[in-house]
Amino acid sequence: MSVSKKELEFNKNDDAMRMKLSELKTKFAKVELGGGKKKIDKHHSKGKLTARERIDLLLDKDAESIEIGAFAGDGMYKEYGGCPGAGVVIKIGYVKGRQCIVVANDATVKAGAWFPITGKKNLRAQEISIENKLPIIYLVDSAGVFLPLQDEIFPDKEHFGRIFRNNAVMSSMGIPQIAAVMGSCVAGGAYLPIMSDEALIVNKTGSIFLAGSYLVKAAIGEDIDNETLGGATTHTEISGVCDYNCEDDESCLKTIRDLVDKLGHTPNAGFDRKEAEMPKDPVKNIYGILPRDRAKPYQTKDIIKCLVDNSEFTEYKANYGKSLITCYARIDGWSVGIVANQRELVKSGKGEMQFGGVIYSDSADKAARFIMNCNQKNIPLVFLQDVSGFMVGSKSEHGGIIKDGAKMVNAMSNCTVPKFTVIMGNSYGAGNYAMCGKAYDPRLICSWPTAELAVMSGASAAKTLLQIEVASLKAKGEEITDERRDELYNKIKSRYDEQTSPYYAASRLWVDAIIDPAETREWLSMGIEMANNAPAEKPYNVGVIQT
């Protein structure tokens, strides 16, 4: 039986996606090792579990969980030997059936020291907790600030001190915070567990002090060992700093589970949920639908059918502003509003062809209206990005593309319902902004391995930068041959392509994670569940919008 051209293309796309997923799996396996096998063995020799082992024991077995920022720090700080996972593991999961966010220092990475990206990742965990009123559990095992980079982590607004400010603010908001000191907790870092609601400490391995024994000796001449200075017995029997003295990691984690089990509940946001149904179109069909060549068009509706319950959705303004799809659907039972870029060439209402992945005036106007409707109906929003930007040229400018784009950005920025963003492919320029990029406070933002984030594509940027480079060299009297021009172009494009990679974005926490497309439903469902903890605190108001 012969294979059709369409089936052949599907299979080639599927192969290309699976290759990218294999790369993702390989990279993640390296991140999971933290500081490496030798460091893990040394950690175990002290009677301590690793950060990931602690989280696995803490969370309910066989329950879903998602990881935040696994690739944070990827490729950064090479001169210091790197900082895998930013030296901290963060997961959203369930403890005794209660959804929580867990932050665990990875002491196999530079003794759990705080690099600048470590601070950013910890602040992201607290931001998620604050926005969603999600209980947060800190598993502390850190040597404190990484001193060679102290100027990038210590004094500024979004640096180390912001963690403790957030501890105080979260406490005032009634967000449960539990901290377990399972290793070092030194200097300014000592404030984190003690500014939490309850603090546990592991006997013989946990310690808390503003200055260790060596510094105490140097500063005031006192001879004292670390255990007497700030160990479990000291802080549970003498200072009263900690509330629970635990014999080992296992008993500490069990105590935390018991504490979470007794937490009270608060009113939720009232997002609608029914019994979940799997899509009729298998989720993994996405692998074959998404083209391996990002310039090729495809039907975004086929992707949506693989993500939503029963593969059913109700499209809003289906025949207007066709370069964006707006529709109501359910994902794992949750009611959602979806805003997605349409990559297929489409005809506008005036019969003109519109490029795929480009936002036109009519599309922006439709999206703004849809977003306002979702806020009116208390329906969470999901943005599926594969966007090249807004349409340019005299016709678009005269038609008011800036005004309509601003309308969409305004409506999206002022949302009181939670927003979730999935970057499927391109995420270029102002399109990233309008489709709820990181700057617009999505509750979670993830990308597929096929994503690219940049002001423009590598090819477009390289051509622009090449013109500037060639003009500069010619001004200096250099003759530019075709070979020299190609060499410059390839060099510029290679550098730019590296910066558009989803791993580059994930290392800097521009996205929370790079995920297998087949995991998208799970991510969105867990995200909406956590957002349901936090009712809107103000009415929806878009302010001034030009019409």
Side-chain angles (χ1 to χ4, degrees):
M1 184 177 176
S2 63
V3 179
S4 70
K5 187 176 180 181
K6 185 176 180 181
E7 288 173 320
L8 185 62
E9 195 68 18
F10 184 97
N11 292 337
K12 286 181 177 180
N13 292 340
D14 186 278
D15 288 344
M17 177 65 85
R18 289 180 189 276
M19 287 290 289
K20 287 184 177 293
L21 292 174
S22 177
E23 180 189 11
L24 174 63
K25 188 176 180 180
T26 300
K27 282 179 173 286
F28 182 70
K30 189 175 179 181
V31 167
E32 280 188 305
L33 287 174
K37 185 72 167 59
K38 287 184 179 179
K39 292 288 180 67
I40 291 172
D41 290 342
K42 185 177 179 181
H43 193 78
H44 284 160
S45 71
K46 299 175 183 178
K48 297 163 68 174
L49 300 172
T50 65
R52 290 184 179 277
E53 289 167 343
R54 287 166 176 168
I55 292 176
D56 286 345
L57 269 181
L58 178 62
L59 296 180
D60 296 347
K61 285 181 173 56
D62 301 322
E64 292 179 345
S65 66
I66 58 176
E67 184 165 348
I68 302 295
F71 293 107
D74 180 59
M76 300 169 70
Y77 312 115
K78 291 178 181 177
E79 64 273 35
Y80 300 108
C83 185
V88 62
V89 182
I90 298 172
K91 286 193 178 184
I92 299 170
Y94 299 89
V95 178
K96 291 282 187 173
R98 182 70 170 263
Q99 198 178 39
C100 299
I101 185 164
V102 184
V103 182
N105 298 114
D106 186 349
T108 70
V109 179
K110 299 290 190 297
W114 288 58
F115 284 68
I117 194 65
T118 314
K120 187 174 183 179
K121 187 170 174 178
N122 276 266
L123 286 170
R124 176 59 179 147
Q126 288 187 320
E127 179 182 42
I128 290 171
S129 176
I130 290 169
E131 286 182 331
N132 302 287
K133 293 184 169 57
L134 197 63
I136 187 166
I137 299 165
Y138 308 99
L139 306 180
V140 184
D141 193 347
S142 171
V145 166
F146 185 66
L147 289 177
L149 295 172
Q150 64 86 28
D151 63 322
E152 297 179 43
I153 183 63
F154 169 63
D156 209 348
K157 180 179 178 181
E158 298 298 330
H159 283 179
F160 194 54
R162 189 75 172 182
I163 302 286
F164 316 131
R165 175 265 184 194
N166 285 351
N167 286 141
V169 169
M170 292 160 74
S171 184
S172 74
M173 294 173 66
I175 297 171
Q177 298 179 83
I178 298 171
V181 180
M182 309 182 81
S184 295
C185 186
V186 64
Y191 286 100
L192 185 147
I194 312 312
M195 294 190 73
S196 299
D197 302 332
E198 291 184 280
L200 306 87
I201 186 168
V202 178
N203 193 30
K204 303 301 182 184
T205 56
S207 59
I208 309 174
F209 32 65
L210 295 181
S213 56
Y214 293 123
L215 186 54
V216 168
K217 174 68 173 176
I220 64 174
E222 181 183 3
D223 281 309
I224 189 169
D225 63 90
N226 282 338
E227 186 64 26
T228 306
L229 180 65
T233 300
T234 295
H235 284 313
T236 57
E237 296 182 20
I238 299 173
S239 71
V241 164
C242 291
D243 307 304
Y244 305 91
N245 184 344
C246 305
E247 278 307 306
D248 51 32
D249 282 8
E250 289 86 352
S251 64
C252 180
L253 297 167
K254 181 183 182 303
T255 304
I256 296 173
R257 286 178 57 81
D258 291 341
L259 294 173
V260 172
D261 188 44
K262 311 302 187 299
L263 290 177
H265 294 267
T266 55
N268 63 37
F271 303 134
D272 187 62
R273 190 180 197 184
K274 292 184 176 179
E275 186 175 345
E277 296 182 65
M278 289 302 295
K280 286 181 179 177
D281 295 9
V283 178
K284 289 189 177 181
N285 274 9
I286 291 171
Y287 299 174
I289 295 168
L290 203 66
R292 61 196 183 283
D293 178 354
R294 64 193 327 104
K296 286 189 175 181
Y298 63 92
Q299 276 289 351
T300 307
K301 291 178 186 178
D302 292 340
I303 299 281
I304 294 173
K305 287 177 183 177
C306 296
L307 294 176
V308 301
D309 289 14
N310 209 32
S311 299
E312 294 178 344
F313 57 88
T314 304
E315 192 169 359
Y316 172 82
K317 288 187 180 290
N319 297 314
Y320 178 72
K322 291 182 180 179
S323 73
L324 275 177
I325 298 166
T326 49
C327 62
Y328 300 106
R330 290 190 182 274
I331 292 178
D332 199 33
W334 294 103
S335 170
V336 297
I338 296 173
V339 181
N341 301 108
Q342 169 61 288
R343 286 305 308 268
E344 190 79 278
L345 285 168
V346 293
K347 281 187 179 181
S348 71
K350 299 174 183 177
E352 301 161 332
M353 292 304 295
Q354 295 185 342
F355 294 105
V358 178
I359 302 175
Y360 291 78
S361 284
D362 54 356
S363 307
D365 173 69
K366 175 173 80 169
R369 291 169 182 266
F370 181 73
I371 290 166
M372 287 187 274
N373 275 343
C374 286
N375 276 272
Q376 179 82 355
K377 298 175 180 180
N378 200 31
I379 299 174
L381 281 157
V382 174
F383 291 83
L384 301 179
Q385 282 198 19
D386 193 351
V387 58
S388 303
F390 284 89
M391 191 59 191
V392 296
S394 61
K395 188 171 184 180
S396 292
E397 298 293 358
H398 297 170
I401 185 68
I402 295 175
K403 176 187 67 179
D404 290 317
K407 188 190 305 182
M408 178 179 174
V409 171
N410 192 320
M412 182 269 300
S413 300
N414 285 296
C415 278
T416 56
V417 295
K419 299 167 289 191
F420 301 89
T421 302
V422 180
I423 303 175
M424 306 184 298
N426 300 335
S427 182
Y428 297 153
N432 169 282
Y433 297 166
M435 293 293 292
C436 195
K438 184 64 182 289
Y440 293 84
D441 300 321
R443 298 293 178 93
L444 290 176
I445 177 170
C446 64
S447 79
W448 294 349
T450 45
E452 281 192 1
L453 289 82
V455 172
M456 60 182 75
S457 70
S460 298
K463 288 174 185 176
T464 304
L465 293 169
L466 178 65
Q467 292 177 35
I468 297 169
E469 181 77 6
V470 167
S472 174
L473 292 172
K474 282 183 176 179
K476 295 175 183 177
E478 185 174 332
E479 184 180 344
I480 307 298
T481 64
D482 289 344
E483 291 79 10
R484 176 65 170 146
R485 185 183 294 272
D486 290 343
E487 179 189 340
L488 287 169
Y489 173 81
N490 291 329
K491 183 179 178 181
I492 293 168
K493 187 175 184 300
S494 176
R495 185 178 70 243
Y496 198 88
D497 283 346
E498 180 186 351
Q499 294 176 358
T500 66
S501 159
Y503 294 99
Y504 192 91
S507 72
R508 288 150 181 80
L509 287 171
W510 300 343
V511 296
D512 292 318
I514 304 171
I515 67 169
D516 182 337
E519 298 171 356
T520 306
R521 279 171 55 86
E522 175 188 332
W523 258 79
L524 294 173
S525 178
M526 288 196 71
I528 298 169
E529 182 180 346
M530 75 180 188
N532 200 37
N533 290 312
E537 296 179 355
K538 62 178 183 178
Y540 183 58
N541 185 349
V542 295
V544 177
I545 290 183
Q546 293 190 20
T547 57

